[in-house]
Amino acid sequence: MTTIHYARRQEKLRQIAGVDAVLLVPGANMRYFTGLDFHLSERPIIAFFTPDGAMSIIIPELEVPRLNARPDLEARAFAWTDTAGYREAFRQAIRDLGLSGKRLGVDGMTMRLSEWLAFLEADPSLAAQPVERDLVRIRAIKTPEEIELMRQAVRLSEKALDNLLAWVQPGLTERQIAARLEDEMTALGSDGKAFETLVQTGPNSALPHGTTTDRVLQADEFLLIDYGGTVQGYPADITRTFCLGAPSAEMQKIYAAVLAANEAARAAAGPGVAMGQVDRAAREVIEAAGYGAYFIHRTGHGLGLDTHEPIPQIAAGVEDLLKPGMVFTIEPGIYVPGLGGVRVEDNVVVTEDGLEVLTSYPRQLVLKP
Ligand code: CO
Ligand code: CO
């Protein structure tokens, strides 16, 4: 297991300006700052980070053993039972932590209205300030430990794809192929999946965010696979597009344009480069090939505990600069209705002097059936 310094991460929460405490609910932020990977459920769990350097948490009694397994957090628990309900725990936390009338920093992307209403019921003088932008900014620069976990996630995901392709053949359904790929990842030590495994065949691949269906894979058509395993919650997010058999001339032309766009974006990216410039590098190649109207999404997104992180945003017009430690995807695509789509997606890390490409799976269209 890679050691993560949670106290160091929590210190950054206390530097967020203008709030008297920061509150986190289960999800990627709670996992990032504490290592606790509770699921968001109907039972509220709220972690508090106060200026005194302490962590406190409103927590259902049944989850207390998982908190007790983490003595390093030195968290003060405000536990509640299903019988008594959680209202008193909210009141007690606000009172004991001296937060009455104070301004609480909340993650507006994950805290639910029901939770904020429970705070207001406990103390109507509380004020909320959204801090989700501060949180994603802190998480945007990855530590060497985080990058190593994503390196491991990529490695096992690529090995799983290799095992899958030794088995895959025309006649299998998209769902069967996806299930086998997930089994391969589990067998190789993946602790989850970054998102629902996407296997799209033939014309189905023309939908960039379509779904895996019962359609049967044929020879000589596109097979698009977008997937990723996780290691300690850190994901890979890889897409490769194949053809079992003989692709048509148009399929080869589309594939070549996407591959060249992917290469151009990788060549353009590095420290100090505007995020939009990387998107432009990919888009120019696809426009020159005559498929500009069929590249209908951004070139890439930030990658971390959330598979889609908002920083960096590899999209047209974003002038913010890439910095060392940022991890993101490069995933240009062309989608032609009726024919199908091609996407080639890699995972990269900005280094001090360039770019490390985490993914190395062959970018090769033709597979022999
Ligand atoms: Co993807
Ligand atoms: Co992606």
Side-chain angles (χ1 to χ4, degrees), residues 100 113 245:
S100 181
L113 185 58

Side-chain angles (χ1 to χ4, degrees), residues 247-271:
S248 68
E250 188 179 13
M251 289 167 71
Q252 292 180 53
K253 187 178 173 210
I254 292 170
Y255 189 87
V258 171
L259 182 58
N262 172 294
E263 285 164 354
R266 279 188 278 131

Side-chain angles (χ1 to χ4, degrees), residues 195 198 209 225-228 236-239 301 307-308 329 331 343 345 347:
F195 50 90
L198 192 60
H209 267 160
I225 303 177
D226 188 351
Y227 75 107
D237 179 6
I238 305 170
T239 308
H301 54 83
T307 302
H308 285 189
T329 67
E331 50 178 307
R343 186 166 60 254
E345 178 177 24
N347 302 162

Side-chain angles (χ1 to χ4, degrees), residues 303-317:
L303 188 65
L305 279 178
D306 281 317
T307 302
H308 285 189
E309 298 198 348
I311 304 175
Q313 173 88 319
I314 311 301

